[in-house]
Amino acid sequence: MNHNACNIADDPFDKPPCRGCSSYLTEPYIKCAECGPAPFLLCLQCFTRGFEYKKHQSDHKYEIMTSDFPVLEPGWTAQEEMALLEAVMDCGFGNWQDVAYQMRTKTKEECESHYMKNFINNPLFSSTLLSLRKAKDSCYADGAIPFKPSDDPPRPTFDSVLSRDMAGYMPARADFMEEFDNYAEWDLKDIDFVDDDSDILHALKLAVVDIYHSRLKERQRRKKIIRDHGLINLRKFQMLERCYPKEVQELYEVMRRFARVVGPTEHDKFIESHALEFELRREIRRLQEYRKAGIKSFCSAKVYERVKRMREDERRKRTMLNDVLQYIQDGRACQQWLTTGRRSAPPLNLTGLPGTEKLDEREKELCQVVRLVPGAYLEYKQALLNECRRQGGLRLAQARALIKIDVNKTRKIYDFLIKEGYITKA
């Protein structure tokens, strides 16, 4: 016979009943090691009688199912370990008096000492958790974007850029400051059903109520889309999108409008299938290039790639030298080429861009040099002004945390607003 002790919870309702007498099983009980795949379980009384049923014979190998054995240290059985973890989960970490009361077999000092020793300060246990976490993270490395709803949305300050990006979402209330179709209730505020209404008037009022109900359904539908796809944490959502190649990102942008038609998992699978198609097409083009160059082995392909990179580097150097020679008469441009290795972008043309008429001449010059569209500049300016007014001053680090663009552009905007007296340093 084969005797094995297994860790099974002592809740009879979690297990099938005894095959012999149909009673609820309590530990210890017997599991046939040869019958399956459905477990063939017997209580001790039926096992001692040699109960047999169909293919099950009394001489089959068996396992003794019990949790009455030590696991981490002597004096603590597996059943008590599970009871301790369940009590800590129910009563909260640190509430050892209630934990001991729920366990009934250990004092609060014993519960605290055992839990801290084996589950908190145990280096083997913590390293095992770390390895499990790394293994879990690595399984998503080359797969699809894992769908996760916004379980921990950011909490931006009121009237900040991030708050406006989140459409005024308030995490503490799990709702928006302004609802979609925010004035839908206005059509109902003056409606009152009275007995002397005519049939037509009564029908009209009911039609208005039905229209209001349809607008409420649309409001809830939009909230459900935002919740299901995790769109509250917008920057996290955008960061996940950037995991894809540029071609797939462009497809993601185009196909985003269809996300409301299917669920989040189906939508991500659809995008991931196209990402795989792009990878396969890129690999096919690479192999075709090798074949065209007469390469027949991967070893030769490595040499080809190395030589190809060297050739492209030389071509870029020649192109850069030609550009420098074109600007040889301009000392300032030549110096910039020698120090940075590239020519600065030309000033931005503001003609026809919305918001240009709201800028003064100095602000227009800033937008041209920094290459910032007027609408974005006005939004960043208002956000910095509001933050400075709220805190009584503003530091550059705070401005960079508030405006998520290139740090050099943020510095130029910050310095300009300080110089012009719009904001003050903290």
Side-chain angles (χ1 to χ4, degrees), residues 50-68:
F51 176 80
E52 295 182 349
Y53 179 75
K54 293 185 178 180
K55 295 182 179 181
H56 174 70
Q57 302 296 322
S58 59
D59 60 348
H60 281 181
K61 295 180 180 180
Y62 61 90
E63 299 176 357
I64 301 176
M65 311 300 288
T66 178
S67 58
D68 189 19

Side-chain angles (χ1 to χ4, degrees), residues 148-165:
K148 291 182 179 180
S150 185
D151 51 349
D152 186 20
R155 300 175 181 271
T157 57
F158 175 71
D159 201 25
S160 61
V161 176
L162 180 56
S163 177
R164 290 194 293 273
D165 289 342

Side-chain angles (χ1 to χ4, degrees), residues 227-404:
R227 181 179 62 253
D228 290 348
H229 289 267
L231 300 180
I232 289 298
N233 200 336
L234 185 60
R235 291 180 180 173
K236 180 180 178 182
F237 188 80
Q238 293 172 342
M239 181 179 66
L240 291 175
E241 285 187 4
R242 295 191 186 102
C243 296
Y244 287 126
K246 183 179 179 181
E247 299 90 345
V248 185
Q249 291 182 25
E250 295 175 354
L251 176 68
Y252 216 123
E253 181 71 25
V254 174
M255 301 305 295
R256 185 181 290 121
R257 69 192 66 179
F258 298 106
R260 58 186 178 180
V261 180
V262 297
T265 305
E266 291 77 9
H267 183 68
D268 280 347
K269 286 181 179 178
F270 173 73
I271 298 296
E272 182 62 24
S273 64
H274 283 76
L276 178 60
E277 179 187 354
F278 278 114
E279 290 296 330
L280 293 176
R281 289 180 179 274
R282 184 182 294 109
E283 183 67 15
I284 291 173
R285 287 194 298 267
R286 187 168 68 92
L287 295 176
Q288 289 175 342
E289 182 183 358
Y290 291 161
R291 177 180 292 182
K292 185 177 180 181
I295 296 173
K296 299 182 179 180
S297 66
F298 284 105
C299 181
S300 301
K302 292 181 180 179
V303 177
Y304 174 79
E305 290 291 344
R306 184 169 64 251
V307 175
K308 180 181 177 181
R309 285 194 299 268
M310 294 173 59
R311 185 168 60 247
E312 291 177 351
D313 291 341
E314 291 296 330
R315 184 182 295 112
R316 281 196 298 269
K317 291 179 181 178
R318 289 196 299 269
T319 302
M320 184 182 69
L321 181 60
N322 291 335
D323 291 338
V324 171
L325 293 177
Q326 291 178 7
Y327 289 87
I328 195 67
Q329 302 298 330
D330 188 348
R332 182 178 178 182
C334 186
Q335 181 65 27
Q336 186 172 6
W337 270 107
L338 294 175
T339 55
T340 64
R342 60 183 178 87
R343 183 178 52 187
S344 61
L348 178 66
N349 185 9
L350 303 182
T351 305
L353 294 180
T356 306
E357 68 281 357
K358 299 179 181 179
L359 306 179
D360 57 28
E361 294 301 324
R362 291 186 297 274
E363 290 177 324
K364 290 180 181 178
E365 182 180 356
L366 173 68
C367 291
Q368 289 174 342
V369 174
V370 180
R371 295 187 59 81
L372 194 65
V373 295
Y377 164 75
L378 292 173
E379 183 179 356
Y380 298 149
K381 174 185 175 183
Q382 189 61 41
L384 294 177
L385 291 178
N386 293 340
E387 190 70 12
C388 179
R389 190 179 303 112
R390 189 176 66 86
Q391 298 188 5
L394 193 66
R395 292 183 288 108
L396 178 59
Q398 294 173 323
R400 286 175 173 171
L402 193 63
I403 302 178
K404 297 298 183 180

Side-chain angles (χ1 to χ4, degrees), residues 63-83:
E63 299 176 357
I64 301 176
M65 311 300 288
T66 178
S67 58
D68 189 19
F69 57 91
V71 178
L72 299 177
E73 64 180 27
W76 281 79
T77 65
Q79 185 175 356
E80 289 176 329
E81 298 284 359
M82 291 186 293

